[in-house]
Amino acid sequence: MGTICILFGLILFLGSILGGFVLTNYLINSVGSTFLAVIPNEPRTYVIVVAICAFIGLLICLNLVMHGLTYNKLCKLERGKR
């Protein structure tokens, strides 16, 4: 269970980075045509949106990885007492 939690956290982190690119494309293509002055089509826009999504994904990933490591350690301690 702990290993699944760790892997799910890493997959979620990579998915949030990919989601950042998808969100940026959506913002530039659909919303950007209406509000060109607000959301410019620049590399800086990609960096900002992807960085925000990656940071949120990193926080969730670290949470899941720590839960997985704790679960694995507790299972190991429980097996040692028997």
Side-chain angles (χ1 to χ4, degrees):
M1 181 71 181
T3 307
I4 293 172
C5 198
I6 293 169
L7 289 175
F8 182 65
L10 294 174
I11 291 169
L12 197 87
F13 175 61
L14 294 175
S16 68
I17 293 174
L18 180 65
F21 282 108
V22 171
L23 179 66
T24 307
N25 283 332
Y26 172 75
L27 289 174
I28 287 175
N29 292 333
S30 65
V31 180
S33 61
T34 308
F35 304 107
L36 278 176
V38 176
I39 302 173
N41 190 3
E42 297 177 357
R44 182 177 58 186
T45 306
Y46 279 95
V47 170
I48 291 171
V49 174
V50 171
I52 291 170
C53 290
F55 181 71
I56 293 169
L58 180 67
L59 292 177
I60 296 170
C61 172
L62 286 175
N63 183 21
L64 288 171
V65 167
M66 288 296 122
H67 279 290
L69 290 173
T70 304
Y71 184 81
N72 285 342
K73 186 67 172 181
L74 287 175
C75 286
K76 184 187 275 187
L77 289 172
E78 180 103 357
R79 279 184 297 213
K81 287 187 175 185
R82 290 182 187 177

